[in-house]
Amino acid sequence: MSFKLGIIADDFTGAGDSAVQFRKNGDTPFLALQDWDSGIDLNAYDVLVVSTESRFMLPRDAYESVLHAVKQCRRIGVRHFFKKIDSTIRGNVPEEIAAVMDAGEYDCALVAPSAPRNGRTVVAGNCLVNGIPLGQDKENSDPFTPVPFASIPLLLERWFRENVQQIDLETVRRGEAAFLNRLGELRNQGSRAVVADAVTLEDLRIISSAGRDPSVLLVGSSGLAESLTDTGSSIPVRTPILSPGNILYVVGSLTETTRAQMDDLLESIPFASLCISIQNMLKNEEGELFRLLKEDAGSQQDLPVLIRTFDVDGEYKKDIAFAMDLGITEKELGERVSQFLGKLVARIFSQRRIDAVFIAGGNTAAGVSKSLEVKGVELLDEILPGIPIGKFETPYADKPVYLISKAGGFGRKNAMTQVCKIVTGRQEERPERK
């Protein structure tokens, strides 16, 4: 068994939107989930992506989880790695980079989390979202894991101390030779982590040239993954046309982007909507589960189903306050919600035929896949930029089920609506990719 590449990601949706880029090279990526190293025939795949689900772990636990994952990959023949990190540098970024370097025997990490198609860029070592430095846009920050500052070198110094340097945009745009020369100078000075500015995909293509050196670990998001691929070589997989009543949307993300997308979806397409009462769930989980299942059974069966965790803006703040009164932290609340979503989805699978699941939010995707006993997802294509489609097997369905996943902060306002129209045949052609 021989893999061209192993991708180590800290959450489900990030793993998918990066790994699917390699379909453009004609590669077959496989997103490995729980118990992936037993009972799965991996011979059909040449890019292996492992989601460690370590974004919300304690830093030391995240290091150990990633270290273990890399060692597992190396045991089955993976020798070259790509470390996927969040484009807004959430999670245990320095610890996880260090773990891949230690287990994968890398001397230097080249860090470039830009994802230009989704408005994520790096300028002067600072991470920007739509041109605004992280920490300055409080309204659109993640409610559970906000990043307080934009400086990527400052973040990396938590582990790498004084051995962090940065390459500015001017140097990157002088071309590959100048960039590699500067990287070599910094490495000779003892740098173990180097942050590279990037605003466009072409900037990232120059940066990714450093990956030809087997001692350099490339670290980035879907943008850097895309820069490693040949955009003209793949044949897109035909998107299935499905009955609306066999489509399930699960929205666990609380970002402003996802809320706007969900509002557009509900305004544009009739749905059977199931809204979880977080407070009822915390007081009586089985009772809330029974209520939602009864509501689904009584809904119009030819409509797609939407499961959501909030009804109006700001409701989640009241839920957090209620949980804290019960002694439940925000992190614990997030875990309980994702587990509950997983249980609810598994029961709905038993109650009605589901051919495709759309999931918004990495934690949500992890909880659902665990409840459905999914060992892995074969990634097929991007149904929209940054939104991959794949298929998985589960004992809860008699044939493979399509999975469409989206990170909470990604996509245009009508992204969820467009996906529904595509998979139900209402929109025959996908929007042009830019």
Side-chain angles (χ1 to χ4, degrees):
M1 187 180 299
S2 178
F3 292 95
K4 293 181 181 178
L5 183 67
I7 301 174
I8 307 296
D10 69 344
D11 91 321
F12 189 115
T13 53
D17 66 32
S18 293
V20 76
Q21 303 302 324
F22 293 90
R23 292 288 307 195
K24 298 169 186 174
N25 285 345
D27 296 326
T28 51
F30 182 77
L31 170 53
L33 301 172
Q34 58 267 7
D35 301 323
W36 63 269
D37 55 348
S38 62
I40 292 287
D41 181 8
L42 295 172
N43 289 298
Y45 308 102
D46 39 28
V47 174
L48 177 66
V49 54
V50 177
S51 175
T52 56
E53 300 305 321
S54 48
R55 179 170 297 176
F56 303 107
M57 289 182 181
L58 293 172
R60 191 68 204 181
D61 293 340
Y63 174 91
E64 293 296 338
S65 178
V66 171
L67 192 77
H68 176 69
V70 175
K71 289 179 178 179
Q72 278 183 297
C73 291
R74 286 176 64 86
R75 279 197 292 270
I76 62 171
V78 181
R79 289 295 176 267
H80 186 51
F81 290 89
F82 175 94
K83 179 65 183 89
K84 163 65 174 68
I85 61 172
D86 180 57
S87 61
T88 57
I89 57 175
R90 291 177 299 165
N92 298 293
V93 172
E95 292 80 10
E96 295 197 12
I97 293 172
V100 179
M101 292 177 70
D102 291 347
E105 301 177 0
Y106 289 94
D107 295 332
C108 179
L110 181 57
V111 184
S114 297
R117 285 197 296 170
N118 292 292
R120 274 70 165 165
T121 56
V122 177
V123 178
N126 293 315
C127 184
L128 315 180
V129 178
N130 297 322
I132 302 174
L134 288 179
Q136 293 187 18
D137 187 358
K138 304 299 183 183
E139 182 179 345
N140 291 315
S141 66
D142 187 297
F144 291 117
T145 56
V147 178
F149 55 84
S151 173
I152 302 170
L154 179 62
L155 173 68
L156 296 179
E157 285 173 3
R158 190 169 79 201
W159 183 281
F160 295 99
R161 307 298 180 186
E162 70 275 7
N163 296 320
V164 180
Q165 293 292 341
Q166 185 247 333
I167 299 179
D168 61 27
L169 192 59
E170 180 182 355
T171 302
V172 171
R173 291 186 170 173
R174 282 200 223 118
E176 185 178 308
F179 173 77
L180 293 176
N181 181 63
R182 180 56 179 157
L183 177 62
E185 290 175 351
L186 294 176
R187 293 183 68 187
N188 288 337
Q189 294 169 16
S191 298
R192 296 198 65 227
V194 177
V195 178
D197 285 359
V199 173
T200 67
L201 182 60
E202 185 53 40
D203 297 334
L204 290 169
R205 290 197 190 284
I206 291 169
I207 292 166
S208 66
S209 65
R212 294 195 291 266
D213 183 338
S215 67
V216 175
L217 172 66
L218 293 182
V219 179
S221 67
S222 58
L224 191 60
E226 183 179 4
S227 77
L228 293 166
T229 65
D230 179 356
T231 57
S233 65
S234 68
I235 300 175
V237 175
R238 184 173 178 81
T239 302
I241 304 301
L242 305 172
S243 169
N246 302 135
I247 299 170
L248 173 63
Y249 271 60
V250 187
V251 180
S253 170
L254 295 174
T255 65
E256 180 63 32
T257 297
T258 295
R259 291 200 293 271
Q261 290 167 346
M262 191 180 67
D263 288 344
D264 183 82
L265 178 71
L266 292 173
E267 291 171 3
S268 306
I269 298 173
F271 262 81
S273 180
L274 307 177
C275 185
I276 298 171
S277 168
I278 301 300
Q279 296 184 28
N280 286 346
M281 181 205 76
L282 293 175
K283 289 185 290 187
N284 182 0
E285 184 173 301
E286 285 302 315
E288 180 65 3
L289 191 63
F290 176 79
R291 179 187 73 81
L292 292 163
L293 290 168
K294 184 178 179 181
E295 191 174 322
D296 174 56
S299 67
Q300 192 172 328
Q301 296 297 293
D302 60 352
L303 294 180
V305 183
L306 168 66
I307 301 173
R308 50 182 172 156
T309 56
F310 57 88
D311 198 12
V312 296
D313 286 349
E315 185 176 3
Y316 71 91
K317 295 179 181 178
K318 296 179 181 178
D319 293 335
I320 291 172
F322 183 84
M324 293 185 71
D325 286 343
L326 297 176
I328 300 169
T329 66
E330 290 186 27
K331 179 177 181 293
E332 291 167 341
L333 176 61
E335 291 171 351
R336 288 184 63 167
V337 170
S338 65
Q339 290 167 6
F340 182 82
L341 283 167
K343 290 179 183 178
L344 177 58
V345 168
R347 294 284 293 274
I348 287 179
F349 262 71
S350 301
Q351 193 161 278
R352 65 159 75 201
R353 180 185 181 89
I354 299 296
D355 292 328
V357 183
F358 177 102
I359 305 179
N363 241 17
T364 303
V368 169
S369 65
K370 184 174 183 178
S371 290
L372 293 177
E373 301 175 39
V374 178
K375 287 195 172 185
V377 180
E378 180 183 353
L379 296 164
L380 302 174
D381 198 3
E382 280 186 311
I383 194 166
L384 289 174
I387 303 180
I389 181 170
K391 59 183 180 180
F392 64 87
E393 293 185 354
T394 170
Y396 292 86
D398 57 8
K399 67 176 185 177
V401 177
Y402 288 97
L403 172 70
I404 303 161
S405 60
K406 185 192 79 70
F410 275 11
R412 296 178 179 177
K413 181 180 178 181
N414 65 348
M416 290 188 188
T417 304
Q418 285 184 318
V419 167
C420 192
K421 288 181 176 180
I422 290 169
V423 298
T424 55
R426 301 183 195 182
Q427 181 172 297
E428 294 185 2
E429 296 185 3
R430 305 178 194 188
E432 180 181 356
R433 297 179 184 179
K434 297 181 180 181

